[in-house]
Amino acid sequence: MPRPIRAAISASALAHNLAVARRHAGAAKIWAVIKANAYGHGLERAARALAAADGFAVLDFQEAARLRVAGIDKPVLMLEGVFKPLDVPLLHKYALTPVIHSAAQVDMLRTVEPGGPIDIYLKLNSGMNRLGFTLENLGASYQALRENPRVKSITLMTHFADADGATGVKAQLEWFGEMTKSFPHRRSLANSAALLRFPEAHGEWVRPGIMLYGCSPFADRPAETFDLKPAMTLTSEIIATQHLQPGERVGYGFSYEAVGELDIGIVACGYADGYPRHAPVGTPVLVNGQRTRIVGRVSMDMIMVDLSGIPAAGIGTPVTLWGEGLSADEVGAAAGTLSYELLCALAPRVPVAEVA
Ligand SMILES: *Cc1c(COP(=O)(O)O)cnc(C)c1O
């Protein structure tokens, strides 16, 4: 028998969350962001469940090719565009829309024949200072793209650094407007946070990611307040129990010491499954649907959980690490990270079951 850990991916939750995004997007079209193996949910599986999206956004050309092989014929946005000249012919071959964020990429499009006309996204750096053109270098590249006969259409794009935070999008939105005021093109601006929070910052194509997986982009607002449903539920079972006497310790480094007598369960889930190693004592977990906490250090294949108040728990008792009943946002916050990182880190060794 395989170890009892598994991830259940709910196709109906994905479809439901897309419908939520649709309600917020209004008339804007939706790129469903399925980079990073659809945030750990499985690329093809997520694309099927999110079939009502207007297009899909990925990073890797391998991911893009897999979508085409799977028969998905919607537009595909390459979020970092081409990496090397050899990528250029793939654009037309697979009908991909590259983000063009650097003069080097503009040159690649000029010097390598893409094989046919392509749509492009022109990415502007409106303040995040990661990818994109600034006002200083925008003009020349824009001109070169306009003169490139293979470029069939241009959409203007930017990315917000703090749509979920205190700064918001105002300054970036204004600067983006200033930089593009003489360019009559469609715009794509919003990630999940901006889609949910700033209707004025949507543009014609929005780019939700995390919300499609049922998590919240906001630290202070749970996903269910947006009617989002967790798409991934990571479960396992207790494979052993221990009864500790006061003063006895548990796990590597003996880092947790039992104050009184303490029953603990050993769960088949560790950092090699994608559970965050830095999750501290107290990180929430469900045992038989009941909320408790982890104790001791997360090890490669196991974690230990407090069974106080769950007397019926024993070998074979089900455990939920995150998902239905316990938000990955909450587990991520307890572990000093984000649901994004937990979902993406789901390890290949964890069997995945698709559920309705
Ligand atoms: C990942 C990504 C998104 C999606 O962001 P979420 O916060 O997951 O909604 C949108 N746009 C770009 C450019 C991205 O890289």
Side-chain angles (χ1 to χ4, degrees):
M1 289 289 284
R3 290 167 71 234
I5 189 167
R6 54 193 36 42
I9 307 292
S10 166
S12 61
L14 289 165
H16 168 87
N17 295 333
L18 177 63
V20 173
R22 184 71 77 191
R23 279 204 293 281
H24 286 269
K29 293 192 174 179
I30 297 181
W31 292 111
V33 178
I34 56 171
K35 62 188 175 187
N37 195 33
Y39 293 42
H41 292 66
L43 185 78
E44 291 87 352
R45 182 182 302 114
R48 275 195 306 273
L50 298 169
D54 300 294
F56 296 102
V58 297
L59 286 170
D60 292 332
F61 282 82
Q62 268 185 354
E63 285 183 331
R66 274 169 55 190
L67 291 175
R68 294 304 184 222
V69 167
I72 287 148
D73 56 8
K74 295 260 168 83
V76 170
L77 181 66
M78 305 303 294
L79 285 167
E80 293 180 355
V82 291
F83 300 93
K84 295 280 150 64
L86 272 177
D87 295 332
V88 174
L90 301 177
L91 296 174
H92 185 70
K93 176 172 178 197
Y94 292 119
L96 309 176
T97 303
V99 168
I100 300 298
H101 60 77
S102 70
Q105 290 178 326
V106 174
D107 276 346
M108 285 185 220
L109 285 191
R110 198 166 40 200
T111 53
V112 185
E113 171 55 53
I118 54 168
D119 299 310
I120 68 132
Y121 268 45
L122 183 61
K123 187 163 188 178
L124 308 192
N125 172 8
S126 59
M128 186 167 182
N129 289 314
R130 203 174 55 173
L131 297 183
F133 295 96
T134 59
L135 186 61
E136 290 70 49
N137 57 20
L138 174 62
S141 287
Y142 178 73
Q143 207 47 44
L145 291 167
R146 289 300 300 264
E147 285 163 10
N148 186 329
R150 294 301 186 205
V151 174
K152 170 166 78 161
S153 78
I154 296 176
T155 301
L156 301 167
M157 167 190 181
T158 196
H159 194 51
F160 297 123
D162 202 28
D164 58 313
T167 308
V169 300
K170 190 162 180 289
Q172 281 190 265
L173 195 58
E174 281 173 10
W175 185 230
F176 177 82
E178 183 64 25
M179 281 200 281
T180 60
K181 62 174 187 258
S182 53
F183 300 168
H185 298 292
R186 286 182 309 222
R187 298 159 308 143
S188 174
L189 311 172
N191 56 5
S192 297
L195 173 58
L196 292 170
R197 190 176 170 204
F198 298 108
E200 71 278 20
H202 285 177
E204 283 72 32
W205 279 84
V206 295
R207 306 188 306 270
I210 194 68
M211 69 178 290
L212 301 178
Y213 308 102
C215 291
S216 171
F218 306 108
D220 56 357
R221 222 180 127 181
E224 59 266 26
T225 67
F226 295 105
D227 186 31
L228 297 169
K229 300 197 161 103
M232 178 196 292
T233 299
L234 181 63
T235 59
S236 188
E237 291 177 4
I238 291 177
I239 59 167
T241 58
Q242 302 288 342
H243 182 76
L244 306 186
Q245 296 300 324
E248 285 194 302
R249 291 157 179 253
V250 51
Y252 284 119
F254 289 132
S255 62
Y256 184 78
E257 182 180 324
V259 181
E261 287 190 45
L262 180 66
D263 285 306
I264 61 170
I266 317 305
V267 180
C269 173
Y271 61 77
D273 300 300
Y275 198 85
R277 184 179 173 281
H278 44 274
V281 170
T283 299
V285 57
L286 301 183
V287 174
N288 221 0
Q290 226 174 300
R291 223 181 139 89
T292 180
R293 58 181 189 138
I294 72 168
V295 290
R297 224 174 252 172
V298 173
S299 48
M300 183 182 287
D301 311 309
M302 284 173 264
I303 57 174
M304 287 68 81
V305 298
D306 185 343
L307 296 183
S308 306
I310 320 177
I315 292 173
T317 298
V319 173
T320 298
L321 288 318
W322 62 69
E324 215 158 308
L326 177 63
S327 167
D329 291 320
E330 200 188 329
V331 178
T337 181
L338 301 172
S339 56
Y340 291 78
E341 190 179 2
L342 302 191
L343 301 178
C344 293
L346 183 75
R349 82 175 189 181
V350 177
V352 175
E354 190 168 325
V355 298

